[in-house]
Amino acid sequence: MSPRWRSNGNTESVDNYLKAIFYLGGLEECRVSIKALAERLCVAPASVTNMLQKLAASPAPLVEYERHRGVQLSAAGKRRALEVVRHHRLIETFLYRVLDYPIEEVHEEAERLEHFISERFEERIAAKLGHPTIDPHGHSIPTMEGKMATRESILLADVVEDGTFVIESVSDRDAQNLRLLEACGIVPGARMQVSKSASLEGYSVRIGRSSKVFALSCEVALDIRIVRPTK
Amino acid sequence: MSPRWRSNGNTESVDNYLKAIFYLGGLEECRVSIKALAERLCVAPASVTNMLQKLAASPAPLVEYERHRGVQLSAAGKRRALEVVRHHRLIETFLYRVLDYPIEEVHEEAERLEHFISERFEERIAAKLGHPTIDPHGHSIPTMEGKMATRESILLADVVEDGTFVIESVSDRDAQNLRLLEACGIVPGARMQVSKSASLEGYSVRIGRSSKVFALSCEVALDIRIVRPTK
DNA sequence: GCCTAAAATTAGGTATAGCTAAATTGAGTA
DNA sequence: TACTCAATTTAGCTATACCTAATTTTAGGC
């Protein structure tokens, strides 16, 4: 006799651990340290150790964990992480395109809702949106089967030679910053002229044909991915 | 340093208690027994006592609770309950009208999501739907200010004389049943000829101009509200 | 007024997911 | 090799929200 509303088992925390391991592990899926996870999740390192031990001890473990050598997702864990990322990015796209959210508000709402929507909800919003592959921040949306397209972009922060680029994606984690970027026209798909300015400790950029120049700090440049123009 | 995803305080259980007290108290807002609450929430009576004591002891209590004499919502509790009901019914309407959900699936999804949507989400779906006042099951949607329209309907189960009625609302709690009702055309707004049949221990009904007769049990009739046709 | 049964409460226990503080481990340096 | 220190783990604690079993209270019948 357990309350109706807990019947699905609450996977919120677990999902957040999996997502964090997924992001921190990068595409190379290297082992992630307890410290890095603790920082990303805003919990104490001891809490992370605890949770990972529990996850690793389950009959169908979502993580591969070895004492003192960090943690990695198992195949099942990666599948679940990609599902949550798909939920997150579909919801962001939906909020932006169907419910006309301001761009800087979609992340927070998606961060909450991603854990609670059903398969049906996922399928319906995907259909409504025409099965999108890119979210409003320019990030790839994993498919229902758990495949995520990889694109050959680089970090703006890694640019060494001045040139023209197309913005692939921006970070969704800092709403304040996102609002500023959007106001400057720094949005996925925009064409951007970049010049590295040593004096400024950052980058000067011009968007499209505008003559306005914006200064971007190195920190912000770490959150922007760009590609060479196709033509 | 508490994890981001718990920052709002988890009000899921509390919301469910408030909603249950709201429904069981009825429009007269009478005191609700611990036993009734426990049954509705599928938890042990001891758990209800516990929760109510905690809720009543808070500096701004959501309930008025006295040992051995049941519980009632405070003004603040009623406000919150109506907000959750508004969320629930707006979400149901949204799922049905915008995302083309089958009618019998909207309740379960709304039951989960109602606790986690933001004010912005509420406002946006309401706008998208043209600020609806009735949900797909025929229930009134409370306003943003916490007012809920009351209509002069009666339970089908209270019908003593045969006659023609318009269906106001059906229950959303039993998906199976809801699917059957819909298949019979027993949906809000439909015109229904009712005859009480003693032999059947229930009602025989015909919908619109159809000649098909359906038998409804007394139990089902407890979940259908009807009104006299306006003309 | 007393007795009984149902309802409510109390007492004590579980699991989850956090926490701090103390102990341990291991990786790089002297 | 041994030392040091940061990272990790362990131990033991907290709060929430549930549970069962035992106790208390209340309300209705006699």
Side-chain angles (χ1 to χ4, degrees):
Chain A
M1 181 160 101
S2 121
R4 290 197 175 291
W5 63 88
R6 295 228 175 274
S7 52
N8 282 341
N10 191 346
T11 59
E12 198 183 351
S13 302
V14 172
D15 284 351
N16 282 312
Y17 275 87
L18 297 178
K19 243 190 350 166
I21 300 168
F22 180 76
Y23 281 123
L24 294 172
L27 294 172
E28 317 81 46
E29 301 179 35
C30 28
R31 292 183 163 279
V32 173
S33 75
I34 269 69
K35 196 187 173 221
L37 264 177
E39 264 158 23
R40 172 116 188 165
L41 293 168
C42 301
V43 300
S47 306
V48 174
T49 300
N50 248 274
M51 177 63 103
L52 294 181
Q53 285 173 345
K54 249 177 281 183
L55 287 180
S58 114
L62 295 165
V63 299
E64 282 154 27
Y65 164 75
E66 276 178 279
R67 298 165 100 259
H68 294 282
R69 24 191 76 258
V71 68
Q72 236 179 330
L73 292 177
S74 70
K78 195 181 162 195
R79 222 177 303 126
R80 178 62 191 158
L82 279 163
E83 199 188 331
V84 180
V85 171
R86 175 173 162 81
H87 283 185
H88 183 94
R89 294 182 178 174
L90 274 177
I91 293 170
E92 286 191 342
T93 311
F94 181 75
L95 297 174
Y96 189 68
R97 282 175 29 194
V98 177
L99 295 184
D100 298 314
Y101 264 58
I103 186 68
E104 73 272 15
E105 285 186 26
V106 301
H107 174 73
E108 197 192 319
E109 188 92 45
E111 194 74 6
R112 250 178 301 115
L113 296 183
E114 63 187 6
H115 309 290
F116 306 109
I117 67 171
S118 66
E119 289 297 298
R120 170 134 257 153
F121 192 95
E122 173 193 325
E123 178 253 306
R124 284 298 151 105
I125 60 175
K128 188 95 194 164
L129 294 164
H131 300 280
T133 58
I134 307 283
D135 80 10
H137 305 110
H139 299 129
S140 289
I141 301 174
T143 66
M144 209 131 48
E145 295 77 35
K147 304 254 177 267
M148 184 158 68
T150 49
R151 289 173 292 164
E152 285 179 10
S153 57
I154 57 168
L155 287 179
L156 174 54
D158 288 339
V159 166
V160 285
E161 237 175 293
D162 298 358
T164 299
F165 301 90
V166 171
I167 299 169
E168 184 200 79
S169 64
V170 295
S171 166
D172 56 358
R173 304 201 94 208
D174 179 346
Q176 184 100 58
N177 191 234
L178 193 49
R179 169 174 239 152
L180 289 175
L181 290 179
E182 198 200 29
C184 301
I186 299 172
V187 296
R191 226 182 167 79
M192 179 167 67
Q193 266 184 53
V194 177
S195 31
K196 178 146 197 174
S197 63
S199 60
L200 280 172
E201 276 287 321
Y203 298 85
S204 303
V205 304
R206 288 200 300 120
I207 303 299
R209 296 207 174 87
S210 157
S211 59
K212 277 193 192 146
V213 176
F214 299 107
L216 298 182
S217 70
C218 286
E219 228 211 303
V220 167
L222 272 171
D223 277 342
I224 298 175
R225 298 196 73 92
I226 55 177
V227 291
R228 293 229 155 262
T230 43
K231 180 215 98 62
Chain B
M1 181 158 101
S2 125
R4 289 198 175 291
W5 62 88
R6 295 226 177 277
S7 51
N8 282 343
N10 192 347
T11 58
E12 198 183 352
S13 302
V14 172
D15 284 349
N16 282 312
Y17 277 84
L18 298 179
K19 242 191 346 168
I21 299 168
F22 180 75
Y23 281 124
L24 294 172
L27 294 174
E28 317 81 46
E29 302 180 32
C30 29
R31 292 185 162 279
V32 174
S33 74
I34 270 67
K35 199 192 173 216
L37 265 176
E39 265 158 23
R40 170 113 189 169
L41 293 167
C42 301
V43 300
S47 306
V48 174
T49 301
N50 248 275
M51 178 64 102
L52 294 182
Q53 286 174 346
K54 247 177 285 182
L55 287 181
S58 112
L62 296 165
V63 300
E64 280 154 28
Y65 163 76
E66 275 179 279
R67 298 166 100 262
H68 295 282
R69 23 191 76 257
V71 68
Q72 237 181 329
L73 292 177
S74 70
K78 197 181 161 195
R79 221 177 303 126
R80 177 63 190 159
L82 279 163
E83 197 187 331
V84 179
V85 171
R86 174 172 163 84
H87 284 183
H88 183 95
R89 294 183 177 171
L90 273 177
I91 293 170
E92 284 190 343
T93 310
F94 182 74
L95 296 174
Y96 188 68
R97 283 175 30 192
V98 177
L99 295 184
D100 298 315
Y101 266 57
I103 186 68
E104 72 273 14
E105 286 186 26
V106 301
H107 176 73
E108 196 192 318
E109 188 93 43
E111 195 74 6
R112 249 178 303 113
L113 296 184
E114 62 186 6
H115 309 290
F116 307 110
I117 67 169
S118 65
E119 290 296 300
R120 170 134 255 153
F121 192 94
E122 174 194 323
E123 177 254 306
R124 285 299 151 103
I125 60 177
K128 188 95 194 165
L129 294 164
H131 301 280
T133 57
I134 307 284
D135 80 10
H137 306 109
H139 299 129
S140 288
I141 301 175
T143 66
M144 207 132 47
E145 294 76 35
K147 304 253 176 269
M148 185 157 66
T150 48
R151 288 172 293 164
E152 285 179 11
S153 56
I154 57 167
L155 287 179
L156 175 54
D158 289 338
V159 167
V160 286
E161 237 175 294
D162 298 356
T164 298
F165 300 90
V166 172
I167 298 169
E168 184 199 80
S169 65
V170 297
S171 166
D172 54 357
R173 303 202 93 207
D174 180 344
Q176 186 100 56
N177 191 236
L178 194 50
R179 170 174 239 151
L180 290 175
L181 290 179
E182 198 199 28
C184 301
I186 299 172
V187 296
R191 225 180 166 79
M192 179 167 68
Q193 265 183 53
V194 177
S195 33
K196 179 146 197 172
S197 62
S199 62
L200 279 171
E201 278 285 322
Y203 298 84
S204 303
V205 303
R206 290 198 300 118
I207 303 299
R209 297 207 175 86
S210 158
S211 59
K212 277 191 190 147
V213 176
F214 300 106
L216 297 182
S217 71
C218 286
E219 227 211 304
V220 166
L222 271 170
D223 276 343
I224 299 176
R225 298 196 73 93
I226 55 179
V227 290
R228 293 230 157 263
T230 40
K231 192 284 11 138

